[in-house]
Amino acid sequence: LGTMRKMRTLIIILLLINFNLFAQSNKVDLKLNDSISLTLEKTDFKLANQKIDYYKNIPIGINGNIIFGTDGDLPKTKLTKAILKIGNKIIQLEIKGMYNPWFGNEINKNHIKFKIENDLLKLKILFSDGAGSYLTEWIIFKNSSTRTILSNEEDIIINQFY
């Protein structure tokens, strides 16, 4: 009986270690330079109260927006927040249609590029959870931003990011 209890305890400990190793972080805070930081947050995608559009049994839209970040299946997570902080200014970035933004504990920092020209900032992020990669670009001027690219097209990703 003592050996069974030890085995059960060992199994529980191993399971807890595995859960921690493979746990995903739902929030990423990145310092892009001395005065610019980026916060990204994701949550689990919940199917309830969602209108899914299909084409040949493949989900292509959610609530009237094209899905980015999947590879023919429903998303597992949804990007719920993208905030750029420049000094004391906080700028909300457009995130509509963006799913499965990263896998694991954080986004790959090599997938983030930004450039400042005069007062114009261009921020490009290559999002991916493995299969459903997509590129997003935002242009930020003063207190305003607009998303100028949201694409999973390979040639656009290569031409715009690499």
Side-chain angles (χ1 to χ4, degrees), residues 66 68 79 93-98 113 115 121-127 133-140 145-162:
I66 294 173
F68 288 88
L79 189 64
L93 302 174
E94 174 64 48
I95 55 171
K96 199 181 302 178
M98 299 172 67
K113 293 185 179 184
K115 178 169 64 170
L121 185 145
K122 282 188 179 181
L123 174 65
K124 294 181 183 183
I125 303 178
L126 182 60
F127 290 101
S133 299
Y134 58 101
L135 176 67
T136 304
E137 177 189 75
W138 295 274
I139 293 178
I140 298 92
S145 74
T146 189
R147 186 171 61 188
T148 54
I149 297 173
L150 179 59
S151 179
N152 58 5
E153 295 292 324
E154 187 176 332
D155 59 331
I156 291 174
I157 292 171
I158 290 169
N159 289 329
Q160 291 294 320
F161 194 77
Y162 294 105

